[in-house]
């Protein structure tokens, strides 16, 4: 049997304990368990933000939520926001590096990826990608890699400078 959710989810993940987590466009975080193929709501929390994307942390019980005014880190064990980073521009995506530092991507507008320090100030920034960024990730060794609308993949060094560019990508990467 298939269960249908009554909202549009921008994020869906399952943690190591089997808890299903969703975040919708208006900032409602929900936790479910699966009972006989049906989602059973355990709790929900409305953050009242316009969500662009969300990312589950690999080892901590937190979801990083990129939204129109920055990033919020939501601890789903405590069901509360434990960190907020404000931004003058909408943040399209966020990731954590190995030191749990937050990296924020601006696909349009400034078209770069920035790392913020513990108080939310810019620590590092990649050069702007004139065509815009379509996605980025941080590899296990801490290397930041981005894809652009110009069909190029960029690999950055530890100082956020472009270390290598792959230009023979056949399409957009999301």
């Amino acid at each position: 049997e298939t269960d249908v959710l009554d909202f549009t989810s921008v994020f869906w993940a399952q943690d190591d304990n089997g808890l299903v987590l969703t975040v919708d466009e208006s900032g409602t975080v929900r936790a479910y368990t699966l009972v006989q193929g049906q989602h059973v709501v355990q709790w929900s929390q409305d953050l009242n933000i316009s969500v662009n994307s969300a990312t589950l942390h690999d080892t901590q019980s937190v979801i990083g939520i990129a939204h129109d005014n920055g990033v919020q880190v939501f601890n789903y064990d405590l069901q509360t926001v434990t960190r907020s980073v404000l931004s003058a521009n909408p943040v399209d995506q966020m990731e954590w590096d190995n030191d749990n530092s937050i990296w924020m991507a601006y696909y349009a507008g400034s078209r770069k990826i920035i790392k913020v320090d513990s108080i939310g100030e810019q620590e590092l920034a990649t050069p702007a990608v004139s065509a815009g960024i379509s996605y980025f990730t941080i590899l296990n060794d801490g290397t930041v890699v981005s894809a652009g609308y110009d069909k190029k993949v960029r690999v950055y060094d530890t100082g956020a400078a472009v270390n290598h560019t792959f230009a023979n990508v056949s399409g957009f990467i999301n």
Side-chain angles (χ1 to χ4, degrees), residues 4-123:
V4 178
L5 302 176
D6 61 350
F7 59 91
T8 302
S9 176
V10 297
F11 170 80
W12 186 100
Q14 189 169 13
D15 75 359
D16 292 337
N17 297 318
L19 190 66
V20 175
L21 302 156
T22 63
V23 180
D24 68 22
E25 293 171 330
S26 64
T28 300
V29 181
R30 294 176 179 88
Y32 302 89
T33 54
L34 290 174
V35 177
Q36 297 179 355
Q38 298 292 310
H39 288 88
V40 177
V41 177
Q42 298 301 303
W43 54 262
S44 68
Q45 180 73 37
D46 186 2
L47 303 180
N48 195 29
I49 54 177
S50 181
V51 176
N52 298 316
S53 67
T55 305
L56 183 66
H57 192 284
D58 289 338
T59 60
Q60 298 178 9
S61 298
V62 294
I63 303 169
I65 302 170
H67 60 90
D68 284 352
N69 298 308
V71 168
Q72 289 190 355
V73 177
F74 183 82
N75 183 309
Y76 58 87
D77 282 344
L78 302 175
Q79 299 176 31
T80 190
V81 173
T82 55
R83 181 167 182 207
S84 290
V85 178
L86 295 177
S87 173
N89 298 303
V91 176
D92 294 292
Q93 182 190 349
M94 70 80 56
E95 292 289 339
W96 286 278
D97 64 17
N98 295 339
D99 298 325
N100 290 320
S101 295
I102 291 175
W103 290 75
M104 305 185 306
Y106 302 92
Y107 292 173
S110 63
R111 301 173 186 197
K112 62 184 175 181
I113 304 164
I114 69 165
K115 177 183 180 179
V116 294
D117 63 17
S118 61
I119 59 170
E121 297 293 323
Q122 180 176 311
E123 186 175 314

